[in-house]
Amino acid sequence: MKKKHIIVLTIALLLVAGWAWRYVTLNAYFDSLVNTEKQKYHLGDIVPFENDLGDMRVNLNGYSIRADSFEVQDFDDYIDSIGFVMDEHYYPGDKIALLHITLFNEDSEAEGIMLTEFNLSGVDATIYLDWDLLIAANPVLEGNCGIKLSPGTECSIILPYKMQEEFFGAWTWNHFEDYELFFRMTAYPTEKLIQVQ
């Protein structure tokens, strides 16, 4: 009977030790993801990707982005201005946030930049790029959601972010012009953020 208690106690101690080891290693891993260095920039700054990676973990060293201007417009007015026709599956927005950027390729041989990776974020909201409007607003993309520039060239693009009131807190929606908003360029090892508002 005493042997049985020792075996059960040994198994219990091994399980507790295994759980503690896993708890410590998982927390260390998630700490390494969260505790990245942050660098903040402003409209007009030319920000190089360098060896920092975005969410898709693609190296865009040699490319840079300049956020030129930011504005919010009425959704219907904007789609009329670019001739965008909604089909029955498209859900309209209430407003549209437009970020005008210039991409530069100094000397990168990367396959290109996937524009759908770039979102806007604030303290309590993330605004996602509207892929359909991205293509409609930028004929230079020729129907694609990404672009590749030859070394030594640049290109201006409009990034449209559809905004629906239901996805925002009441204060944020009603005071959006006072809301701090960032364009997230990279995620790791340095998170590069351009403050657009």
Side-chain angles (χ1 to χ4, degrees):
M1 186 76 165
K2 194 169 191 155
K3 254 186 182 180
K4 195 174 188 181
H5 287 300
I6 292 173
I7 291 172
V8 169
L9 184 61
T10 303
I11 291 172
L13 288 173
L14 287 173
L15 288 172
V16 168
W19 177 85
W21 173 80
R22 189 66 180 145
Y23 177 82
V24 168
T25 57
L26 272 176
N27 279 331
Y29 172 73
F30 286 113
D31 262 0
S32 72
L33 295 178
V34 171
N35 292 326
T36 57
E37 178 188 349
K38 287 187 182 190
Q39 294 177 354
K40 292 184 180 175
Y41 300 90
H42 297 93
L43 289 173
D45 294 342
I46 297 176
V47 186
F49 280 92
E50 298 170 317
N51 286 313
D52 296 309
L53 306 175
D55 292 327
M56 296 180 78
R57 301 293 193 246
V58 175
N59 188 320
L60 296 172
N61 193 13
Y63 273 98
S64 299
I65 289 180
R66 182 182 67 219
D68 298 313
S69 65
F70 178 77
E71 61 183 313
V72 176
Q73 293 185 14
D74 176 75
F75 181 82
D76 291 328
D77 291 346
Y78 180 70
I79 64 167
D80 287 346
S81 74
I82 63 170
F84 180 75
V85 178
M86 294 184 284
D87 64 21
E88 65 275 6
H89 303 292
Y90 186 84
Y91 192 77
D94 297 304
K95 295 181 183 177
I96 186 115
L98 301 171
L99 180 61
H100 299 257
I101 65 168
T102 303
L103 300 169
F104 303 90
N105 182 354
E106 290 83 22
D107 56 5
S108 178
E109 295 299 325
E111 291 184 22
I113 296 178
M114 182 55 71
L115 299 168
T116 55
E117 182 175 351
F118 301 121
N119 298 315
L120 299 175
S121 60
V123 70
D124 65 346
T126 299
I127 310 171
Y128 298 100
L129 189 69
D130 187 297
W131 299 10
D132 294 316
L133 291 178
L134 172 69
I135 293 168
N138 298 286
V140 69
L141 296 178
E142 299 177 345
N144 298 301
C145 290
I147 189 168
K148 178 177 179 159
L149 301 178
S150 301
T153 62
E154 63 185 68
C155 183
S156 293
I157 303 271
I158 299 169
L159 300 180
Y161 297 89
K162 179 171 57 178
M163 297 166 55
Q164 293 155 290
E165 185 175 359
E166 64 203 72
F167 296 123
F168 291 85
W171 188 93
T172 301
W173 184 259
N174 293 324
H175 301 91
F176 193 77
E177 64 281 355
D178 300 322
Y179 186 65
E180 274 195 341
L181 198 62
F182 295 90
F183 172 73
R184 186 168 173 258
M185 236 179 92
T186 63
Y188 182 82
T190 304
E191 185 178 21
K192 292 181 178 173
L193 302 164
I194 301 175
Q195 185 169 1
V196 298
Q197 175 172 280

